[in-house]
Amino acid sequence: MLSKCLTMNRIIQWIEIGTIIRSLGCCPSEGELHDLIAEVEEEEPTGYIRLEKFLPVMTEILLERKDKINTVALLLPHTYRYRPIPEDSLLRAFEVLDPAKRGFLTKEELIKYMTEEGEPFSQEEMEEMLSAAIDPESNSIHYKDYIAMMVVDEN
């Protein structure tokens, strides 16, 4: 993944940072991503992150995560960075959007919620989510299936 995002000058577009971090099994929020980018970005933002600034920070996060998963995180899961959202929390969030308890949202409903409510998704983020979430036969998202696909096994 990282090799696909690197340029010849050993720099990464900042927009790829989230994809890279998630490919390493971390689940940062958008706020945590912005904090990380601010930490490794040049003083004059260029839209790119230098690999030599990114790698030490990411290595520290991964080592911290590994140590805490192996010890404290089993007792206190809220103590390590970039932890995944629990499956039951994701289910409750989708159920709030589905007051009729149908077990699915239409594509149109999902687009409305994700682009007009809270922190709106960009067009690119929306297209990426739709490609993974929408059942092409019903043109809807069966959210229990989608959640099962998204959940990260911490063991």
Side-chain angles (χ1 to χ4, degrees), residues 40-70:
V40 297
E41 184 170 54
E42 299 295 324
E43 287 189 31
E44 287 289 324
T46 63
Y48 292 92
I49 306 296
R50 295 202 165 282
L51 185 62
E52 59 267 15
K53 287 184 88 173
F54 175 72
L55 282 180
V57 172
M58 197 63 226
T59 300
E60 180 183 326
I61 289 167
L62 290 172
L63 290 173
E64 170 190 297
R65 185 173 182 271
K66 180 182 178 215
D67 289 345
K68 289 191 176 183
I69 285 174
N70 290 338

Side-chain angles (χ1 to χ4, degrees), residues 11-150:
I11 56 177
I12 309 162
Q13 278 191 301
W14 69 266
I15 200 151
E16 297 293 339
I17 296 292
T19 303
I20 293 166
I21 293 172
R22 289 182 183 105
S23 76
L24 295 170
C26 298
C27 302
S29 68
E30 286 302 310
E32 289 169 326
L33 271 179
H34 288 289
D35 291 348
L36 177 79
I37 290 168
E39 185 177 343
V40 297
E41 184 170 54
E42 299 295 324
E43 287 189 31
E44 287 289 324
T46 63
Y48 292 92
I49 306 296
R50 295 202 165 282
L51 185 62
E52 59 267 15
K53 287 184 88 173
F54 175 72
L55 282 180
V57 172
M58 197 63 226
T59 300
E60 180 183 326
I61 289 167
L62 290 172
L63 290 173
E64 170 190 297
R65 185 173 182 271
K66 180 182 178 215
D67 289 345
K68 289 191 176 183
I69 285 174
N70 290 338
T71 55
V72 179
L74 296 174
L75 300 172
L76 302 168
H78 60 281
T79 61
Y80 68 95
R81 290 196 280 182
Y82 306 159
R83 68 185 188 282
I85 297 171
E87 188 172 351
D88 61 325
S89 295
L90 290 170
L91 180 59
R92 283 194 309 272
F94 274 108
E95 288 173 341
V96 166
L97 302 176
D98 179 23
K101 306 283 187 244
R102 300 172 299 179
F104 68 91
L105 297 171
T106 66
K107 180 179 178 179
E108 293 73 25
E109 290 171 326
L110 185 63
I111 290 171
K112 178 182 182 296
Y113 291 133
M114 302 308 286
T115 59
E116 296 177 14
E117 306 290 330
E119 185 177 328
F121 274 36
S122 69
Q123 182 67 31
E124 183 180 338
E125 290 169 326
M126 194 69 245
E127 288 171 8
E128 188 175 334
M129 181 180 185
L130 290 174
S131 71
I134 296 296
D135 173 30
E137 290 180 20
S138 65
N139 210 29
S140 60
I141 175 175
H142 297 271
Y143 49 81
K144 287 183 182 176
D145 295 338
Y146 183 59
I147 291 167
M149 182 178 68
M150 288 192 310

